[in-house]
Amino acid sequence: MEVATATEASAPAASGAASRRSHPFPWLDLAISEPYYFLHLVAFFSYFAARSTVPSADDGLLLRREIQAVLTFLVLFVVKIVKEENWETCIADSLLYAKGLLLAVTLVIDYWLTVSYLLGFVVIYAVAQQPPYDGLGHSNHLTPLQLEGLLTEEPTTRFWLVEFRTSFSGTCIEASSVLPELSNIYSNKNISFGIIDLGHFPNAAAKFGISMWDHLPTYILFDKATEVARFPEIMNESKVFVPKITKKLLCQHFDLDRRLIEYLSR
């Protein structure tokens, strides 16, 4: 099996990301084309229609609550931008803050309006999902069979760092940009990067010792066909402690800087 096979598997996702980046207004395109963002926009903009029903006597109190909510959101949003290193987590948390503040403001208008918005957000959560990062960097989407071939049949690279994820896990979505961005920095002839969606291949989880419920995303570093390190490390059969996934954390855990220096010094 050749590396080209793995590259072909990643072609659809790569072409989708490229077309989105070529759009003159990529954020507008994303907001309209992705149901998760579009439904949230509809919910938030519907507030202006609900606000028009407020009696003029209550308008002063509502205006103060709106100003307080906007200022609170801006503070929380700025804090998130400073602390987070990827947009997926920042957007998810910012939408959570916005929904909470919107519910608080609608209490001033009408209790049943608040209940309606709450039910609406529950429906959005049930029918739509935040899209993952759509870039690949220098990584490839793989199938378990492709990975096995790349590791055993005359491997063209010594190390493979592979992320095992699912598209329905919020943690996987929020960390979806980490591996592609690492691959842009550390990919070379000595180490390659791959992504396997276990949602498409659930039977492969047991083969790699991964729980579909509490071990995702899992990152495994292979030296040819041998596993040499993984993150998160399994503490016991039923529990695993998973710190927040960042590029710095994975870089240190898999010693990527040392491996890059060893490759460059040859």
Side-chain angles (χ1 to χ4, degrees), residues 94-112:
S94 297
L95 283 176
L96 180 63
Y97 300 150
K99 288 183 282 190
L101 292 169
L102 178 61
L103 293 176
V105 170
T106 54
L107 281 172
V108 178
I109 302 176
D110 182 71
Y111 170 79
W112 290 109

Side-chain angles (χ1 to χ4, degrees), residues 2-22:
E2 298 178 356
V3 177
T5 307
T7 305
E8 290 167 3
S10 65
S15 61
S19 63
R20 179 164 292 157
R21 286 192 296 269
S22 64

